[in-house]
Amino acid sequence: MSQDLQVRVATAADSSALAQLLHDFNTEFDTPSPGPSVLAAKLEELLSTDGTFAVLAGPPPSGVALVTLRTNVWHAGPVALLDELYVSPQHRDTGIGTRLLATVFEEAARRSVDYIEVNVDEGDVDALRFYRRHGFVAEEPDTGERALYLFREGTQP
Amino acid sequence: MSQDLQVRVATAADSSALAQLLHDFNTEFDTPSPGPSVLAAKLEELLSTDGTFAVLAGPPPSGVALVTLRTNVWHAGPVALLDELYVSPQHRDTGIGTRLLATVFEEAARRSVDYIEVNVDEGDVDALRFYRRHGFVAEEPDTGERALYLFREGTQP
């Protein structure tokens, strides 16, 4: 039963399991991946710093949340970005996403984070509903205005 | 003439000038600010780390860009978020925004950044046009889908 799965903050020793889940995530959604072994090496490096933490559901590995922290001039503590949240297909709709997110909140609080961000595809109504249900807002309270996430590959003018 | 203004990467010694500009930014757009002196102290702290850099136009101080860096599992180097970009009203439409951004790209490259993000209000057509003109994209090239920026105050479940 998925309810018996442990959900906990990962350590560098979990890098292979985390990497496989992130690789599966990208494969499922037709996004390029450098492969589990490259990801595992990178995760082992990142998880040994203060800038990244991960949450793992398992065994067997069945869900992952990856969070990066950075400074921000408007906040006393670091702000957090939820970079990735993934639950394996066979474990969906069992509450693992909610448990992953709850553990993210706990660990963020422990690290003095008071502000968490996530970027969500506009058409992904399930994800938008999930994040709204967990306290994320897409509309500025004062203006009702939404913010778009823009990106730029490379630094050539 | 604004063309004579210097645009350069800021140091911690520029913290007061940067702080006043960020305070003016928030005041102009009716956003709370802790005030220039609190911001200056915070900037002095942040600019002494690898996680933040700023670009300043002046003297007189007339524009600012503030950038934070973080790690990312999909990128070899850090990824950058353009947190703030502001030009004082009397110096607008003179190309300072473009010069600030060009200096951001140069400094980002120097720091091995190959990916830059910015969050822009959906209704701010001038800002969206500005960033698009400088190589930022709002739509995923493959799917045409836009991503929304969501945030959450606090870490209580």
Side-chain angles (χ1 to χ4, degrees), chain A residues 24-46:
Chain A
D24 293 347
F25 190 178
N26 277 21
T27 302
E28 181 178 345
F29 291 96
D30 295 324
T31 304
S33 165
S37 63
V38 170
L39 289 170
K42 181 76 176 178
L43 283 163
E44 195 165 346
E45 172 199 331
L46 296 185

Side-chain angles (χ1 to χ4, degrees), chain A residues 29-89:
Chain A
F29 291 96
D30 295 324
T31 304
S33 165
S37 63
V38 170
L39 289 170
K42 181 76 176 178
L43 283 163
E44 195 165 346
E45 172 199 331
L46 296 185
L47 293 175
S48 67
T49 72
D50 283 341
T52 306
F53 72 84
V55 176
L56 175 65
S62 43
V64 58
L66 188 66
V67 178
T68 51
L69 306 176
R70 64 173 194 286
T71 55
N72 184 282
V73 72
W74 308 107
H75 294 265
V79 297
L81 176 71
L82 181 61
D83 277 302
E84 314 287 342
L85 182 71
Y86 178 69
V87 176
S88 300

Side-chain angles (χ1 to χ4, degrees), chain A residues 22-23 26 32-34 39 42-43 46 51-52 66 68-77 81 83-84 105-106 108-109 113-124 128 131-132 134-141 145-157, chain B residues 22-23 26 32-34 39 42-43 46 51-52 66 68-77 81 83-84 105-106 108-109 113-124 128 131-132 134-141 145-157:
Chain A
L22 292 178
H23 177 76
N26 277 21
S33 165
L39 289 170
K42 181 76 176 178
L43 283 163
L46 296 185
T52 306
L66 188 66
T68 51
L69 306 176
R70 64 173 194 286
T71 55
N72 184 282
V73 72
W74 308 107
H75 294 265
L81 176 71
D83 277 302
E84 314 287 342
F105 293 162
E106 280 171 27
V113 168
D114 66 359
Y115 193 84
I116 305 181
E117 305 167 310
V118 65
N119 300 308
V120 182
D121 285 344
E122 188 174 24
D124 192 346
L128 287 171
Y131 287 114
R132 286 185 203 275
H134 290 97
F136 289 85
V137 296
E139 290 83 19
E140 275 290 342
E145 184 147 55
R146 307 191 304 180
L148 299 176
Y149 165 83
L150 279 69
F151 66 94
R152 187 189 203 277
E153 303 270 7
T155 53
Q156 290 305 307
Chain B
L22 292 178
H23 177 76
N26 277 21
S33 165
L39 289 170
K42 181 75 175 177
L43 282 164
L46 296 185
T52 304
L66 187 66
T68 51
L69 306 175
R70 64 176 195 285
T71 56
N72 183 282
V73 71
W74 308 108
H75 293 264
L81 177 70
D83 277 302
E84 313 289 343
F105 293 163
E106 278 171 29
V113 169
D114 65 0
Y115 194 84
I116 304 180
E117 304 167 311
V118 65
N119 300 308
V120 182
D121 285 345
E122 188 174 23
D124 192 346
L128 286 171
Y131 288 115
R132 286 185 203 274
H134 291 96
F136 288 85
V137 296
E139 290 83 18
E140 276 292 340
E145 185 147 54
R146 306 192 303 179
L148 299 175
Y149 164 83
L150 278 69
F151 65 95
R152 187 189 202 277
E153 303 271 4
T155 54
Q156 291 304 306

Side-chain angles (χ1 to χ4, degrees), chain B residues 75-147:
Chain B
H75 293 264
V79 297
L81 177 70
L82 181 61
D83 277 302
E84 313 289 343
L85 181 72
Y86 178 68
V87 176
S88 298
Q90 67 272 32
H91 291 95
R92 289 195 192 142
D93 300 317
T94 61
I96 290 181
T98 293
R99 293 177 62 197
L100 288 167
L101 206 49
T103 306
V104 165
F105 293 163
E106 278 171 29
E107 181 64 11
R110 203 182 67 76
R111 294 171 181 243
S112 305
V113 169
D114 65 0
Y115 194 84
I116 304 180
E117 304 167 311
V118 65
N119 300 308
V120 182
D121 285 345
E122 188 174 23
D124 192 346
V125 291
D126 289 338
L128 286 171
R129 188 184 314 120
F130 174 80
Y131 288 115
R132 286 185 203 274
R133 193 168 72 230
H134 291 96
F136 288 85
V137 296
E139 290 83 18
E140 276 292 340
D142 293 344
T143 61
E145 185 147 54
R146 306 192 303 179

